[in-house]
Coordinates of all heavy atoms in Angstrom, one line a residue:
Q450 N -1.1 -20.1 -56.1 CA -0.7 -21.4 -56.3 C 0.3 -21.8 -55.1 O 1.0 -20.9 -54.6 CB 0.1 -21.6 -57.6 CG -0.7 -21.4 -58.8 CD 0.1 -21.6 -60.1 OE1 1.0 -22.3 -60.1 NE2 -0.3 -20.9 -61.2
D451 N 0.3 -23.0 -54.7 CA 1.2 -23.5 -53.7 C 2.6 -23.7 -54.3 O 2.7 -24.4 -55.3 CB 0.7 -24.8 -53.0 CG -0.5 -24.6 -52.1 OD1 -0.7 -23.5 -51.7 OD2 -1.2 -25.6 -51.9
V452 N 3.6 -23.0 -53.8 CA 4.9 -23.1 -54.3 C 5.9 -23.3 -53.1 O 5.6 -23.0 -52.0 CB 5.3 -21.8 -55.0 CG1 4.4 -21.5 -56.2 CG2 5.3 -20.6 -54.1
V453 N 7.0 -23.9 -53.5 CA 8.1 -24.1 -52.5 C 9.2 -23.1 -52.7 O 9.8 -23.0 -53.8 CB 8.7 -25.5 -52.5 CG1 9.8 -25.7 -51.6 CG2 7.6 -26.5 -52.2
D454 N 9.4 -22.2 -51.7 CA 10.5 -21.2 -51.8 C 11.5 -21.5 -50.7 O 11.3 -22.3 -49.8 CB 9.9 -19.8 -51.6 CG 9.3 -19.2 -52.8 OD1 9.8 -19.5 -53.9 OD2 8.3 -18.5 -52.7
A456 N 13.3 -20.5 -47.5 CA 13.2 -19.7 -46.4 C 14.5 -19.7 -45.6 O 15.0 -20.8 -45.3 CB 12.0 -20.2 -45.5
E637 N 15.8 -23.6 -45.3 CA 14.8 -24.7 -45.4 C 13.9 -24.4 -46.6 O 13.8 -23.3 -47.1 CB 14.1 -24.7 -44.1 CG 13.4 -23.4 -43.7 CD 12.9 -23.4 -42.3 OE1 12.4 -24.4 -41.8 OE2 13.0 -22.3 -41.7
N638 N 13.2 -25.5 -47.0 CA 12.1 -25.3 -48.0 C 10.8 -24.9 -47.3 O 10.5 -25.4 -46.2 CB 11.9 -26.6 -48.8 CG 13.1 -27.0 -49.6 OD1 13.8 -26.1 -50.2 ND2 13.4 -28.3 -49.8
Y639 N 10.1 -24.0 -47.9 CA 8.9 -23.5 -47.3 C 7.8 -23.5 -48.3 O 7.8 -22.8 -49.4 CB 9.2 -22.0 -46.8 CG 8.0 -21.4 -46.1 CD1 7.7 -21.8 -44.8 CD2 7.3 -20.4 -46.6 CE1 6.7 -21.2 -44.1 CE2 6.2 -19.8 -46.0 CZ 5.9 -20.2 -44.7 OH 4.9 -19.6 -44.0
L640 N 6.7 -24.3 -48.0 CA 5.6 -24.3 -48.9 C 4.5 -23.3 -48.5 O 4.1 -23.2 -47.3 CB 4.9 -25.7 -48.7 CG 3.6 -26.0 -49.5 CD1 3.9 -25.9 -51.0 CD2 3.0 -27.3 -49.1
H641 N 4.2 -22.4 -49.4 CA 3.2 -21.4 -49.1 C 2.4 -21.0 -50.4 O 2.8 -21.4 -51.5 CB 3.8 -20.2 -48.5 CG 4.8 -19.5 -49.4 ND1 5.0 -18.1 -49.4 CD2 5.7 -20.0 -50.3 CE1 5.9 -17.8 -50.2 NE2 6.4 -18.9 -50.8
S642 N 1.4 -20.3 -50.2 CA 0.5 -19.8 -51.3 C 1.0 -18.5 -51.9 O 1.3 -17.6 -51.1 CB -0.9 -19.7 -50.8 OG -1.8 -19.3 -51.9

Side-chain angles (χ1 to χ4, degrees):
Q450 299 180 25
D451 287 338
V452 298
V453 176
D454 279 324
E637 58 192 321
N638 293 326
Y639 184 72
L640 176 66
H641 63 144
S642 183

